[in-house]
Amino acid sequence: MTQTAAASTTPSGKQMLSEQVYARLRDAIMRGDYAPGEALKPQELAREEGVSLAVVREALVRVVGDGLADRLHNRGFAVPAFSDRRWQEIAEARRTIEPVVLRMSVERGDLDWEARVRAAHHRLARTPAYVAEEGRHYSSAWSEAHRAFHRTLLEGCGNPVLLETFDRMWTASELARRWSAHRNPDRDGAEEHRRLEEAALARDADTAAAVLAQHLSLTASALTDSGSCESQAD
């Protein structure tokens, strides 16, 4: 009996295999190995991974839960399309909530918050957005620095419920951010982040909220049918 087969005979072994398949599939989608709208075929994945169909289906359900795939009625699984309405709905929710939370953060944040914002922006600005070995989408290090900067901006609000809402929306929109960068390759995201930091630390809540709303709008607009054509340029 092979090690893979032996592991799959126990509940803990099946869970471990499912976790491994889930992680590889999630990373492959994030890297752009699967095109928007491409089918994720359980039988093929099971054969490629050398695991059972049940293990693959369990992993796919988790990927669906992350918003990185759709479960299609009687048609299996697929990566979402870049024109899917969900991205605009998530963007609308973020534009409604996050500028308000940022305004609260600017008004309530203390000196320690200011220091964290400055440090988070410094890390983001100094982290390479792309590395060859991670494919054509944002690097994992830059993605984490990006998330940390945006979350730190909002942490001055002091409301954990609002921050949990941000966390959920951020996870749900990760794929859209990566696709948007390729459909609007000339966008100067670094300058947008610099303006966000500058307005927040100047305690200019109006400007900070306006810059953030525009920042979120640009990401969403690149995913509409009228947006820029997808480009290989980074």
Side-chain angles (χ1 to χ4, degrees):
M1 181 179 291
T2 65
Q3 183 176 357
T4 298
S8 64
T9 60
T10 65
S12 59
K14 179 182 176 184
Q15 183 177 4
M16 181 177 66
L17 287 173
S18 179
E19 178 68 31
Q20 293 170 352
V21 173
Y22 158 74
R24 286 194 289 268
L25 184 56
R26 178 197 61 205
D27 291 346
I29 294 171
M30 287 294 194
R31 284 195 307 269
D33 294 353
Y34 295 95
E38 184 173 348
L40 299 169
K41 301 177 181 177
Q43 293 87 351
E44 290 185 7
L45 289 169
R47 185 168 58 253
E48 292 169 2
E49 294 285 343
V51 298
S52 70
L53 197 57
V55 167
V56 168
R57 287 190 177 279
E58 187 175 309
L60 282 166
V61 168
R62 290 189 61 187
V63 173
V64 170
D66 288 343
L68 301 179
D70 290 331
R71 189 166 193 168
L72 309 176
H73 182 62
N74 293 328
R75 292 191 293 128
F77 300 84
V79 176
F82 70 78
S83 57
D84 195 305
R85 180 170 174 77
R86 84 181 68 183
W87 310 127
Q88 304 306 319
E89 292 171 344
I90 293 170
E92 182 180 52
R94 293 188 66 193
R95 284 195 303 270
T96 300
I97 296 170
E98 289 182 35
V100 174
V101 180
L102 179 56
R103 185 181 295 276
M104 294 167 60
S105 199
V106 168
E107 294 170 351
R108 299 177 181 178
D110 57 14
L111 184 59
D112 183 58
W113 169 76
E114 289 186 8
R116 295 199 310 275
V117 169
R118 190 173 297 279
H121 181 259
H122 180 76
R123 179 186 175 201
L124 175 61
R126 296 300 182 90
T127 302
Y130 300 95
V131 293
E133 57 269 26
E134 291 195 37
R136 67 192 189 96
H137 287 306
Y138 292 135
S139 71
S140 56
W142 188 90
S143 294
E144 173 54 25
H146 187 214
R147 183 203 66 80
F149 172 65
H150 276 270
R151 196 183 198 280
T152 302
L153 280 170
L154 304 185
E155 286 175 351
C157 77
N159 187 320
V161 176
L162 289 172
L163 293 175
E164 289 170 7
T165 300
F166 164 82
D167 291 338
R168 289 194 298 273
M169 292 192 298
W170 185 271
T171 298
S173 58
E174 179 61 25
L175 197 55
R177 270 189 298 280
R178 294 176 180 231
W179 289 344
S180 176
H182 287 275
R183 289 178 56 85
N184 188 5
D186 298 325
R187 180 181 174 187
D188 191 350
E191 173 61 15
E192 294 170 32
H193 292 136
R194 186 197 65 77
R195 291 175 59 208
L196 270 172
E197 182 211 25
E198 186 177 80
L201 295 184
R203 302 290 177 157
D204 186 345
D206 289 340
T207 297
V211 170
L212 180 56
Q214 177 67 8
H215 182 68
L216 298 173
S217 295
L218 286 171
T219 297
S221 65
L223 296 178
T224 63
D225 289 336
S226 59
S228 304
C229 291
E230 188 167 0
S231 168
Q232 296 296 324
D234 295 329

